[in-house]
Amino acid sequence: MTIFSRRAAIAVLLAPALVLLLGVFILPMFSMFVTSLTSPEGGLGLDSYARFFTDGYYWGVLGKTATIGAITAVATLVLGYPVALFMARSDGWVRGVITFVVIVPHLVSVVIRNFGWLMVLGDNGVINSALMSLGWIQRPLQLLYNEFGTIVGFVDSFIAYMILALAASLYNEDPNLARAGSILGAGRLRRFLTITLPLSLPGILSGLVLVFSLVISSFITPILLGGPRVTVMATLTYQQILITLDWPFGTAISFILLATTLLVVTVVTRAFETKRYKEVFGA
Amino acid sequence: MTGSRVYDVELTGITKRYHEKIVVEDFNLGVQRGEFVSLLGPSGCGKTTTLNMIAGFIDPDGGSISLKGRVINGIPPHKRGLGMVFQTYSLFPHMSVRENVAYGLKTHRVPKAEIIERVDRVLALVRLEGYGDRIPKHLSGGQRQRVAIARALVTDPQILLLDEPLSNLDAKLREELREELKRLHNETGITTVFVTHDQEEALSLSDRIVVMNLGAIEQIGTPKEIYGSPRTEFVHTFIGRSNRFSGTVTVARNQQVHVTTAGGLGIELASVADVIGGDEVNVYVRPEAVTISAAPLDGHLTQIDGRIQAMTFLGAITEYTVASHGEKILVRVQNESDRFQLDDPVTCWWDPRDALVVPRKVAADGTLAA
């Protein structure tokens, strides 16, 4: 005999999390949404949204944000895939060491790691001094305070998420598939392109979505490594809310960013999820 | 193994160690064109390692492997021109049946029109017409394994390697697919090396069986030879069931050689038995080799008087356990009529030539191993 029915037990167990989510996430978000719909005169209206979409400058910021997000996502994919593959193919202590090396930098704050990049990418940084002492360049390359520096910082910050997402997908591959492929005459490259790569599509998709969402909502790296020239949606929101104190416009920008994220994620997911993809990877 | 004959697969002195542990030792085998050869043994006997060395997934530490007279040591699997079916099917989960089967043809740059034709033909061969567009997930275990067989056969490989292809299937399907394998082998005539731990599969499918134990070959022979005249203790006990009698050799005045067990059971040995008086030996006899009758028989054959202690009806045959002199003798007889009841006094006998006599190992301290 149980006092609670199964359903009641589940409700009791979920209650704390639901209350917390409702109190600190859903309600504030709802109140922010209401704020974003407040017009300067005090009534409700779409003025803030209209202001954003009628000004080419803001469109530019949105475009730049999405572009930086997309480039970072693809760069982490290209750079992270070999690491994830090596991780998935190794076992025992080797895998443990790689996982540790991938994760351990994340124990250090993003701010500290971005400062590290200032030392590497700056005019007197490691790269520029090396190239100049070799005589390959006369003046230092502009590696900081632009999109390039921002993307470098982002790739460093988020590549671990990509690697872990890819590795999770690669672990599942039956090692006999590679053997089957090779017995059927496929060399290493062909096996990778026809077996491993297509089977890791779910990992690629979740890695891209994860990194893209994280990048376009980040704001420390664009400030530190991008400087004033690189304004992204997150820094724009920050300026409007904390400097200009224009809460309706600031909250409107953040909702536009949220909508953009959902749109991009939906489009990318749709592009991946062909009929065959759903058949193979679906439940 | 020597001579001018060119084998389809020839393994000479193959040895493989992992961390000093010997997995396969001095393995010699020649498989003739069109032959179906099984590597049979318990898990860990080295049979799968041997197959993987033929496939090229594992390099031997010593010895040479040739296909049709060409040494292939060091040649990667994708250049060996083999076909292989795996225990876990290992179909490409993201490809349809058709794409799975076509894979090997695409890697060999077969023209598109020919691919379609050959895929159709091989799908018909394994009776999977109409399943071409399904993905492996939507197939039953038996269908998956048939796709795997089709995928291995479509490239017309020189040799087909089968790595326990039936052991993931349930009993009924296993039998069905076993028949299918037999039919495919008859129709294609492809040289086949089959790895299994299932003696029934090996006995029913093979032209020859290689019984392996602890990385070495125990016996090579036709199923009939392996079952009917096992040459080693291991083969006797691993294949089928056997009665074992442990005892001491005594030589009678008339040169007749007997073994007497601790309980006083006397067993006559064939005159060819290579033992001398006083030897400690084990005698193995198949339950089928034992005949059972209600009355003693004339003649010089070993005759053992006992009582029926247990009986099991198994359809076409009945298994009796006869107790005599503290030994239990397992007897299998065809069911012509229900002749014996529990506790019936009976006489058992067998032709001494059907028994295997093996000297018991004497340990360093002088004690005997079982």
Side-chain angles (χ1 to χ4, degrees), chain A residues 174 176-177 179-187 190-191 194-195 198-199 276 279-283, chain B residues 52 57 77-78 82 86 88 90-96 99 103-104 106-108 135 137-138 151:
Chain A
D174 171 6
N176 267 339
L177 292 183
R179 289 184 160 189
S182 70
I183 271 290
L184 290 165
R190 191 181 195 110
R191 293 203 297 271
T194 57
I195 301 168
L199 284 176
R276 175 65 66 81
E279 231 187 327
V280 173
F281 300 111
Chain B
N52 283 334
F57 300 138
H78 66 275
L82 303 166
F86 299 85
T88 53
S90 299
L91 297 178
F92 306 124
H94 56 301
M95 296 183 197
S96 67
E99 288 161 345
Y103 191 90
K106 281 186 192 151
T107 61
H108 290 101
I135 59 166
K137 200 172 159 182
H138 296 149
R151 184 177 67 175

Side-chain angles (χ1 to χ4, degrees), chain B residues 11-27:
Chain B
L11 304 172
T12 316
I14 292 297
T15 300
K16 181 70 194 174
R17 289 179 212 87
Y18 286 119
H19 309 294
E20 300 304 308
K21 188 180 172 289
I22 290 167
V23 184
V24 176
E25 191 173 24
D26 194 24
F27 189 100

Side-chain angles (χ1 to χ4, degrees), chain A residues 112 186 191 246 266:
Chain A
I112 310 288
R191 293 203 297 271
D246 188 344
T266 309

